[in-house]
Amino acid sequence: MGTFLRTWREAVSPAEVGLPTGPRRRTPGLRRSELATLAGISVEYLTRLEQGRDRHPSAQVLGALADVLNLSLADRMLLRRLTKEADGGDPLLCAAAPSLGRTARPTVRSVLDRLEPAPALVVNWIGDVLAHTAGYERLAGPLGLLDDEPPNLLRYLFTDERARSAYRDWDRVADDLVAQLRHEVPLRDPYVAELADELTVTAGAEFADRFADLAVAPRPTGSQHIEHPEAGSLRLLHETFALPDDGQRVIVHLPADDATAAALDRLNGRRPGGLRAVGEAG
């Protein structure tokens, strides 16, 4: 929680909150004194929060800090979540957390069947690929993503050298996957801790620094630029649909432009024109 508050404080410029920007500012973003004054709390109390020496801020204090930092709803929910985590977790939510799923339900697999030939997959909260369409296998198989058993999106991205060549926007994909691992899981999850320890050793700072950055929130939509050994350059959009009772999510990849739509059709053995582009990738 302290890291989150400090990161956001340093990311907000004085101009954004109506303060003058002085010529000699050593601190990026807001000073502690400035944030404390605007939020109506003491500098000493804000210092204790940022240093982790006070883990029980009231809802009013959190709301005041979130207002000054202009946090989005998703970031406010994350701040509240981190407060619960600092306090040992929310017993009510922890008790209701599902066990880590290793298989997809038959009805979910049936949904995948109806999505063919679109590249679509089901993953659990640590990124294990539990099920996928044949269209996804034709997309991901030549990249080496499905070689392990079970395949794991994070392990592939951070430890397989082929991932760097496959993803032109590797850094953005890495940011998104780690944000999902860090924030869309049960509090104090042992499976996340185990995977994080593994990747901290095998991938080093590339993973560890991202995992420690609490200010990056996961995005349900996004884009990827893939260099495919058979289909060439592909620009894909993706939508994510949560299955909260299972602790899983369905990810569907869609062509972002006409060239990608035609390339996916050829990859699936279809005459170009079957899939349609849904927009330009950012």
Side-chain angles (χ1 to χ4, degrees):
M1 179 184 65
T3 301
F4 180 91
L5 289 173
R6 186 172 60 254
T7 300
W8 271 101
R9 173 173 63 80
E10 294 175 351
V12 174
S13 69
E16 290 179 84
V17 294
L19 296 176
T21 302
R24 296 181 180 179
R25 297 188 65 91
R26 297 180 180 178
T27 303
L30 297 178
R31 299 186 178 100
R32 276 191 184 139
S33 59
E34 293 168 337
L35 175 57
T37 299
L38 292 170
I41 61 176
S42 69
V43 178
E44 292 75 13
Y45 185 51
L46 178 59
T47 301
R48 293 201 303 272
L49 289 177
E50 290 191 354
Q51 293 178 348
R53 294 187 288 116
D54 190 311
R55 302 184 178 186
H56 305 279
S58 68
Q60 289 76 17
V61 168
L62 291 178
L65 290 169
D67 286 345
V68 175
L69 297 174
N70 195 28
L71 298 186
S72 67
L73 176 59
D75 289 323
R76 287 168 186 258
M77 293 174 65
L78 175 56
L79 176 58
R80 181 60 176 167
R81 173 191 175 85
L82 294 173
T83 306
K84 290 293 185 181
E85 188 174 70
D87 197 27
D90 188 326
L92 180 63
L93 295 181
C94 290
S99 58
L100 181 68
R102 299 292 188 181
T103 59
R105 285 186 285 114
T107 50
V108 177
R109 289 179 176 271
S110 181
V111 170
L112 289 184
D113 290 341
R114 285 157 176 75
L115 291 174
E116 294 283 10
L121 65 156
V122 181
V123 297
N124 59 20
W125 66 66
I126 61 172
D128 289 337
V129 179
L130 309 180
H132 53 76
T133 61
Y136 184 76
E137 183 167 3
R138 286 187 282 269
L139 172 68
L143 305 178
L145 199 156
L146 300 177
D147 286 358
D148 289 341
E149 185 55 44
N152 181 278
L153 299 181
L154 286 121
R155 192 175 286 116
Y156 168 77
L157 191 74
F158 282 97
T159 66
D160 194 315
E161 61 183 16
R162 292 172 292 184
R164 296 278 187 167
S165 300
Y167 290 97
R168 294 282 298 275
D169 47 1
W170 187 93
D171 285 301
R172 181 167 60 177
V173 175
D175 289 345
D176 286 344
L177 285 182
V178 175
Q180 289 167 350
L181 179 71
R182 184 65 180 84
H183 299 309
E184 294 187 348
V185 298
L187 294 173
R188 302 182 182 276
D189 179 69
Y191 300 101
V192 170
E194 182 180 3
L195 181 61
D197 287 346
E198 173 195 331
L199 292 178
T200 297
V201 174
T202 58
E206 289 276 26
F207 171 81
D209 290 350
R210 287 179 167 86
F211 193 71
D213 188 355
L214 304 180
V216 179
R219 295 175 292 187
T221 62
S223 62
Q224 296 177 359
H225 186 181
I226 293 176
E227 287 297 331
H228 196 275
E230 299 175 12
S233 182
L234 303 174
R235 293 185 178 274
L236 298 167
L237 304 175
H238 64 262
E239 286 283 348
T240 302
F241 305 93
L243 304 173
D245 291 340
D246 302 286
Q248 299 172 8
R249 61 188 189 274
V250 178
I251 305 171
V252 183
H253 295 278
L254 302 164
D257 53 38
D258 291 336
T260 299
L264 289 179
D265 280 334
R266 289 192 294 270
L267 194 63
N268 290 310
R270 293 161 49 118
R271 177 178 297 177
L275 290 175
R276 295 184 178 180
V278 297
E280 291 294 334

